[in-house]
Amino acid sequence: MNILTAENLTKGYGEKVLFDDISFGIDDGEKIGIIGVNGTGKSTLLKILAGLEWPDKGKVTMGNNVRLEHLPQNPEFEDEATVLQQVFKGNSPVMKLLREYELAVEKLECAPDQPLLQQALIALGQQMDELEAWQLENEAKVILTKLGISKFDTLIGTLSGGQRKRVALASALINPTDILTLDEPTNHIDNDTVDWLEQYLNKRKGALVMITHDRYFLDRVVGRVFELDKGKLYPYPGNYSRFLELKVEREEQVEATERKRQNLFRNELAWMRRGARARTTKQKARIERFEKIQADKPTEYLDRIEMPAGASRLGKKILECNHVQKGFPDRGILIEDFSYILLRNDRIGIIGPNGSGKSTLLNMIAGLMIPDSGSIEMGATVNMGYFAQENTYLNPEIRVIDEIKAVAEVIPTADGGNISASQMLERFLFPAAAQWTQIAKLSGGEKRRLYLLRILMAAPNVLLLDEPTNDLDIQTLTILEGYLDEFPGAVIAVSHDRYFLDRITDKIFSFEGEGKIRSYVGNYSDYQEQVYAAKQAEEQSMSLASLAKTFRTTNVPSGTEKSPERKKERPLKMTFKEQQDYEKIDAQIAQVEEELQKNNQLMNDMGSDFGKLTELVEIQKALEEKLDVMLERWALLNELADKIAQNKR
């Protein structure tokens, strides 16, 4: 069922037209991914759907009672609000009630002896019961925890930019809505959290429209792809892999049409050169057809152009990290006793939870931070390019071409030639007309792309990339990946983009907590396989160790200890303790399950008492952990019982 229709939408700013006369519909439950070069209007289109901006022409129509929730690329925040208050920012009755309840709890904690505050909290608790808001509050806390935010009373003003974005994402996810629009939801979250978000959105009911550069994410979540290209919208059925297949077919059709146009153009041009006389209606029509063919030029695909890799000479010694340690008073030890010698053609991906120290390591390698102990030694020929998370070096007052020329007019290529700043801009999706635009007028993604090009124009031979996929479009990432394929130097990249890590890395550094950094050979998928295999081996080892305790061997007769072939295994049987557990464990599991059910009912009944609710949540957690242990014990005992039964046969 169609729940939203966009008809003949046109939007531009000044002379720049973002999209022209585009139309589409969104069905209930449909999941759509929007892709396109930065600056083509993807974010603007989402804002128009959300009612935050208006099209120059056309209209958006939604069904009756259809609710839409939008996560912008740069959300607005109230610095004095707590995390939970910010999450419950919606205007629905439930969201307003949740905000009031959290505020009442905060006031009562400051003045617990105030009867009026106690009565107000009880009244709000009753309203929470009526609107069944407790489930929503619990879901919000679960989602925040999954996103790495565990202190719900923290003021928004004290959070980092990445933490704020995750709070905004949680707010968008918990709001009851029919259409959810997300602008770059995977930015600022780590790989494990991206995996969780992927699973969450796959299970979520309702329509989804999102902008993302994460190609694995698109492949596994969406069922339709919208491509914004040169002001037009091209819909493709299927996920990202299917989009790639269909786009190739479309471009081949465009090329075939262009070849036909060129043939017609040559024929008509030859006729015109013979001196066509415009005295008859037929001749006038043919001249008009010539002019139409001449004007009807095909779409140019700038993302097909390859970008040559140029780099300065790299000597034998590149980079040596010797027993590096770094920590902060409020975060503890992030990096402990880390040593590594960087090789000429290393392609290293760095992964780990947010705040674990990944950017800190890059900052120390770049010389922006000093280790607490240990040393980092740089080779004399190293020309380092550091693509940081912030575009700190761009001057908003100057033009695009001048920013690049300030670094280099030309750069050498691997084949011994040169390429100009203007040519590099074209290869990086800045056509000639856009090169004279003031940087301040660029979109966030375009500025990010320009900043990356500025780094590459300095012809580095060692590249440090800190979250290079944030705010870069897929076409730019494809060009960057092609550049790195030919790059004659070392690359170290911090990234949560699984596709990017699979595409460019041959070694993974994993931040695994308490300052430990473990190295894995291979790309990200190889790393996942190694971690999974190690986990399986550990679980199997624990299981075998547990089963080994159940085996008993008979005493070997005197004088035959050195004849292992004469040893015989005693029949397998349970110990006295195992037999007791086996007989009682079913009833014990049933009892814990009953306690869980009763505790869950108490949580629903005591919802207005925040202190009691917190206590019950802890009890619930302890019971669940106890049940997990008992179920594992039940599985082992039953496996042992089966083996004993088989031996008796």
Side-chain angles (χ1 to χ4, degrees):
M1 182 182 68
N2 184 274
I3 56 176
L4 182 147
T5 302
E7 299 177 88
N8 310 114
L9 298 183
T10 298
K11 183 67 176 180
Y13 295 101
E15 296 181 357
K16 183 177 182 179
V17 177
L18 296 177
F19 40 84
D20 181 32
D21 196 30
I22 65 173
S23 300
F24 57 89
I26 299 173
D27 292 336
D28 186 23
E30 189 172 26
K31 292 180 170 62
I32 299 170
I34 302 179
I35 64 175
V37 176
N38 289 133
T40 55
K42 302 187 299 296
S43 295
T44 301
L45 178 59
L46 281 195
K47 290 176 183 177
I48 290 174
L49 297 183
L52 302 176
E53 288 195 20
W54 296 97
D56 299 334
K57 295 179 183 177
K59 63 178 181 178
V60 175
T61 307
M62 285 199 295
N64 293 333
N65 301 319
V66 171
R67 297 162 299 176
L68 187 148
E69 181 69 24
H70 176 59
L71 172 70
Q73 199 167 19
N74 298 300
E76 295 182 358
F77 299 95
E78 297 177 16
D79 287 348
E80 298 304 316
T82 66
V83 166
L84 277 181
Q85 289 168 354
Q86 182 68 40
V87 168
F88 302 137
K89 67 175 180 58
N91 293 320
S92 67
V94 175
M95 290 294 114
K96 290 178 180 177
L97 176 60
L98 283 166
R99 281 201 303 274
E100 290 178 21
Y101 180 80
E102 292 300 328
L103 184 61
V105 169
E106 187 180 331
K107 288 180 178 178
L108 190 59
E109 286 177 348
C110 296
D113 298 327
Q114 291 292 326
L116 291 177
L117 292 178
Q118 294 173 356
Q119 293 173 11
L121 187 64
I122 293 171
L124 287 170
Q126 291 172 348
Q127 294 180 48
M128 294 271 284
D129 289 334
E130 293 170 4
L131 293 180
E132 298 180 352
W134 298 111
Q135 175 81 18
L136 203 59
E137 185 195 39
N138 184 58
E139 185 179 358
K141 292 178 178 178
V142 169
I143 290 174
L144 282 166
T145 302
K146 290 289 186 182
L147 293 174
I149 308 292
S150 56
K151 296 181 179 179
F152 310 132
D153 57 351
T154 304
L155 293 180
I156 292 293
T158 64
L159 299 179
S160 67
Q163 289 172 320
R164 290 184 177 204
K165 182 69 180 281
R166 279 176 268 145
V167 170
L169 175 58
S171 178
L173 293 178
I174 65 120
N175 267 292
T177 181
D178 303 291
I179 303 175
L180 179 63
T181 57
L182 304 175
D183 195 346
E184 298 288 7
T186 61
N187 282 1
H188 306 295
I189 59 178
D190 56 49
N191 304 71
D192 291 338
T193 309
V194 171
D195 286 336
W196 170 83
L197 180 60
E198 184 180 288
Q199 296 168 19
Y200 182 91
L201 293 177
N202 274 322
K203 294 176 183 176
R204 179 188 174 275
K205 296 179 180 179
L208 170 69
V209 185
M210 66 175 178
I211 299 167
T212 181
H213 58 260
D214 191 317
R215 286 154 285 185
Y216 281 160
F217 200 77
L218 282 170
D219 224 28
R220 296 166 184 170
V221 174
V222 306
R224 191 151 63 125
V225 173
F226 286 172
E227 182 188 23
L228 272 177
D229 186 21
K230 313 295 187 299
K232 300 298 180 184
L233 184 139
Y234 300 94
Y236 299 86
N239 60 6
Y240 181 73
S241 295
R242 182 60 179 153
F243 152 75
L244 291 175
E245 296 172 2
L246 294 174
K247 184 177 180 180
V248 169
E249 292 177 9
R250 180 170 73 83
E251 291 181 355
E252 287 175 349
Q253 291 174 358
V254 170
E255 289 174 356
T257 302
E258 172 59 9
R259 286 194 296 271
K260 185 177 179 180
R261 188 189 75 86
Q262 291 286 355
N263 289 333
L264 284 172
F265 182 75
R266 282 191 290 269
N267 292 336
E268 296 298 310
L269 181 61
W271 182 79
M272 292 289 290
R273 284 174 174 170
R274 286 199 299 268
R277 293 166 299 181
R279 289 185 303 195
T280 67
T281 303
K282 186 175 182 180
Q283 289 169 332
K284 287 179 180 178
R286 190 163 183 179
I287 291 171
E288 289 173 359
R289 186 174 72 166
F290 167 77
E291 292 171 346
K292 183 177 183 301
I293 293 171
Q294 187 180 31
D296 189 19
K297 295 182 179 180
T299 302
E300 296 178 2
Y301 292 98
L302 291 175
D303 54 322
R304 285 182 168 186
I305 303 174
E306 296 180 357
M307 188 174 67
S312 52
R313 185 185 68 83
L314 192 60
K316 185 175 181 180
K317 182 177 179 179
I318 304 173
L319 177 81
E320 294 184 9
C321 296
N322 301 304
H323 305 288
V324 171
Q325 181 159 315
K326 185 67 178 178
F328 298 93
D330 58 335
R331 297 166 66 187
I333 299 297
L334 298 180
I335 299 167
E336 183 177 29
D337 195 26
F338 174 70
S339 297
Y340 186 74
I341 298 175
L342 190 67
L343 305 178
R344 182 187 301 273
N345 294 316
D346 264 346
R347 297 290 187 272
I348 299 171
I350 300 180
I351 63 172
N354 289 321
S356 59
K358 304 184 299 295
S359 296
T360 299
L361 178 59
L362 288 195
N363 285 331
M364 288 193 293
I365 292 173
L368 303 178
M369 283 186 183
I370 299 174
D372 296 337
S373 62
S375 64
I376 297 177
E377 300 174 11
M378 198 79 64
T381 60
V382 169
N383 177 20
M384 185 170 290
Y386 184 18
F387 182 62
Q389 290 200 46
E390 303 296 333
N391 313 327
T392 52
Y393 299 102
L394 294 180
N395 183 348
E397 304 301 322
I398 67 174
R399 296 173 300 181
V400 168
I401 185 69
D402 294 330
E403 178 68 34
I404 298 303
K405 283 185 175 181
V407 181
E409 293 275 353
V410 296
I411 62 169
T413 59
D415 59 3
N418 290 309
I419 185 168
S420 69
S422 179
Q423 288 172 321
M424 281 291 281
L425 279 165
E426 286 198 11
R427 282 159 167 73
F428 228 54
L429 308 180
F430 285 100
Q435 295 177 18
W436 301 94
T437 304
Q438 191 179 27
I439 291 175
K441 296 180 180 179
L442 299 179
S443 70
E446 287 174 315
K447 289 176 182 175
R448 191 80 172 141
R449 191 188 329 142
L450 181 64
Y451 175 50
L452 176 58
L453 180 55
R454 188 186 189 280
I455 301 298
L456 302 181
M457 283 296 292
N461 49 31
V462 174
L463 267 176
L464 305 182
L465 306 174
D466 194 356
E467 296 291 3
T469 62
N470 280 359
D471 302 319
L472 285 182
D473 54 75
I474 291 174
Q475 288 91 331
T476 304
L477 288 175
T478 303
I479 292 173
L480 174 60
E481 289 159 359
Y483 176 91
L484 295 177
D485 285 341
E486 305 298 326
F487 181 68
V491 178
I492 305 175
V494 172
S495 181
H496 64 266
D497 189 315
R498 299 158 295 178
Y499 187 100
F500 182 78
L501 290 171
D502 273 351
R503 179 72 173 75
I504 67 113
T505 64
D506 54 25
K507 191 174 296 180
I508 296 291
F509 286 172
S510 174
F511 278 67
E512 302 191 345
E514 299 181 352
K516 305 300 181 186
I517 303 174
R518 183 172 294 179
S519 176
Y520 296 84
V521 176
N523 61 16
Y524 184 73
S525 291
D526 296 327
Y527 153 80
Q528 285 186 307
E529 289 179 6
Q530 292 175 58
V531 170
Y532 178 76
K535 184 179 179 182
Q536 290 290 99
E538 183 180 357
E539 291 176 353
Q540 185 178 8
S541 176
M542 291 175 64
S543 178
L544 289 172
S546 177
L547 287 172
K549 294 178 181 178
T550 66
F551 286 89
R552 302 291 184 268
T553 58
T554 57
N555 292 327
V556 181
S558 178
T560 61
E561 290 85 352
K562 295 183 180 180
S563 303
E565 67 275 4
R566 296 184 58 187
K567 290 183 180 179
K568 292 183 180 180
E569 291 182 353
R570 194 180 68 183
L572 185 65
K573 65 178 184 179
M574 289 185 180
T575 64
F576 179 75
K577 178 70 168 59
E578 287 169 340
Q579 186 64 39
Q580 279 193 319
D581 289 350
Y582 180 66
E583 292 171 356
K584 297 178 180 179
I585 196 162
D586 286 324
Q588 291 171 343
I589 288 174
Q591 182 180 351
V592 174
E593 288 176 337
E594 186 179 348
E595 290 176 13
L596 270 168
Q597 188 176 0
K598 289 180 180 178
N599 193 73
N600 191 52
Q601 185 62 46
L602 283 172
M603 288 171 66
N604 293 331
D605 296 341
M606 297 290 181
S608 58
D609 187 338
F610 185 78
K612 183 64 176 175
L613 182 61
T614 303
E615 181 183 336
L616 291 172
V617 168
E618 292 300 320
I619 294 173
Q620 186 86 352
K621 184 178 178 181
L623 286 171
E624 287 173 349
E625 290 176 354
K626 182 179 179 181
L627 182 60
D628 287 341
V629 172
M630 294 178 73
L631 288 172
E632 287 181 11
R633 178 68 170 164
W634 177 90
L636 284 171
L637 290 172
N638 276 271
E639 184 177 353
L640 178 58
D642 289 342
K643 287 181 177 293
I644 293 171
Q646 290 173 8
N647 284 352
K648 287 181 178 179
R649 297 193 195 106

